[in-house]
Amino acid sequence: MTPKPYTHRDAVPFRPVDWTGEYPPAYARGSVPQHVAVVMDGNGRWANRRGLSRVEGHKAGEAALLDVVAGALQAGVKHLSVYAFSTENWARSPEEVRFLMGFNREVLHRRRDQLNEWGVRVRWAGRRPRLWRSVISELEYAQELTKSNTALTLTMCVNYGGRVEIADAVRSIADDVSTGRLRPSAVTEKLIAKRLYQPDMPDVDLFVRSSGEQRTSNFLLWQSAYAEMVFLDTLWPDFTRRDLWHAIDIYTGRDRRFGGAVDAPDTPA
């Protein structure tokens, strides 16, 4: 069912995507991360430095998200996961929580057609309990609308927490073990991965956080076990596709060994 239409008088205009005027660096074949996870941090500080309320910072972050999606498409990234609302965000003031719930709903409503035109598949990862029904409706509608798109998968992590996701997965396995549908010896990493919110989500290659903070904040903990971490000082509303491309540049210079190692003695100068 199509969600009821509504308007948002504070809608943030999105600067047009210039597909011909801005290009990412010429990355070597196969070097671009296929899954980029982004913690969109710094909205509140961006607003406070300008004498504005925190909600104004969240509004300004909408254009940054669309620009980063465009930059990911241009760079050849296939999966982009963004932290839109965490399970810990419920601890914020009731006013900010209400705004964020409505804002997430409205961004999806305003941008779903644009994302669909770009060939973006929208998906949701998170928990249903406590999440507004209207937000779930918009998420599910966007998923259905864009389900056949293949250019990029954009996973909106709303009411999401990495520890809760793992706990939910383990709980579902424990239920199967207790009823005899599953043997304890059959519990493996692969099985746990299949019980996560989006079982076919690939492991994160590049984990990016804006604002200068250097922590994961409980985001995609299982999927980011071997992710390359890049922390940039740019506050989220000022973040652009060029910042994403800079993070990818850093990523391409890393040596990913996944626990393995090969002797490489230093050669005397």
Side-chain angles (χ1 to χ4, degrees):
M1 181 181 296
T2 303
K4 293 181 180 179
Y6 56 84
T7 59
H8 178 44
R9 63 187 177 185
D10 297 318
V12 178
F14 172 57
R15 52 189 179 274
V17 176
D18 183 352
W19 294 105
T20 59
E22 285 190 273
Y23 292 98
Y27 303 113
R29 181 180 293 275
S31 66
V32 173
Q34 290 303 286
H35 186 185
V36 178
V38 180
V39 178
M40 304 179 290
D41 192 28
N43 293 332
R45 274 168 285 167
W46 181 92
N48 292 162
R49 289 176 185 178
R50 290 161 175 77
L52 303 172
S53 66
R54 291 177 57 83
V55 298
E56 294 302 320
H58 294 308
K59 292 176 186 177
E62 179 181 346
L65 173 59
L66 268 290
D67 203 47
V68 166
V69 171
L73 283 163
Q74 288 178 292
V77 173
K78 299 302 293 182
H79 290 263
L80 179 67
S81 299
V82 297
Y83 214 0
F85 187 90
S86 78
T87 49
E88 288 73 36
N89 287 157
W90 294 105
R92 297 188 178 185
S93 71
E95 294 77 18
E96 186 172 2
V97 168
R98 281 195 296 271
F99 172 81
L100 288 170
M101 283 291 102
F103 187 62
N104 274 296
R105 177 190 63 203
E106 292 164 3
V107 168
L108 285 161
H109 188 82
R110 283 196 299 273
R111 303 303 184 185
R112 64 192 184 201
D113 290 335
Q114 182 176 15
L115 293 169
N116 190 40
E117 290 174 3
W118 289 357
V120 174
R121 177 176 63 153
V122 178
R123 294 201 302 180
W124 166 43
R127 306 190 87 212
R128 285 180 176 270
R130 299 187 73 179
L131 190 56
W132 287 10
R133 188 170 299 176
S134 60
V135 177
I136 294 174
S137 180
E138 289 292 349
L139 286 162
E140 292 181 338
Y141 184 80
Q143 286 187 144
E144 180 64 22
L145 174 68
T146 64
K147 65 182 181 181
S148 299
N149 294 338
T150 60
L152 171 74
T153 295
L154 172 64
T155 302
M156 302 291 295
C157 297
V158 184
N159 198 25
Y160 175 88
R163 287 181 173 180
V164 170
E165 179 180 30
I166 295 170
D168 286 346
V170 172
R171 187 180 303 110
S172 73
I173 292 172
D175 287 343
D176 285 349
V177 171
S178 68
T179 57
R181 293 193 298 268
L182 187 69
R183 292 176 291 105
S185 60
V187 179
T188 62
E189 289 185 20
K190 187 174 182 180
L191 177 62
I192 294 173
K194 286 182 177 179
R195 301 296 179 96
L196 299 177
Y197 297 146
Q198 292 292 348
D200 61 342
M201 175 186 285
D203 284 347
V204 174
D205 298 306
L206 171 60
F207 188 108
V208 181
R209 183 175 186 137
S210 60
S211 88
E213 301 292 348
Q214 299 187 19
R215 55 180 177 270
T216 64
S217 292
N218 197 26
F219 186 45
L220 296 178
L221 298 180
W222 182 277
Q223 298 88 343
S224 298
Y226 279 99
E228 295 297 325
M229 304 290 179
V230 174
F231 303 104
L232 300 178
D233 292 334
T234 308
L235 299 177
W236 181 250
D238 292 327
F239 211 91
T240 70
R241 70 187 80 180
R242 289 179 294 279
D243 293 291
L244 173 66
W245 296 340
H246 175 51
I248 294 174
D249 277 337
I250 295 172
Y251 168 88
T252 60
R254 301 274 179 87
D255 180 17
R256 306 187 75 202
R257 296 186 297 275
F258 300 95
V262 177
D263 281 336
D266 289 338
T267 302

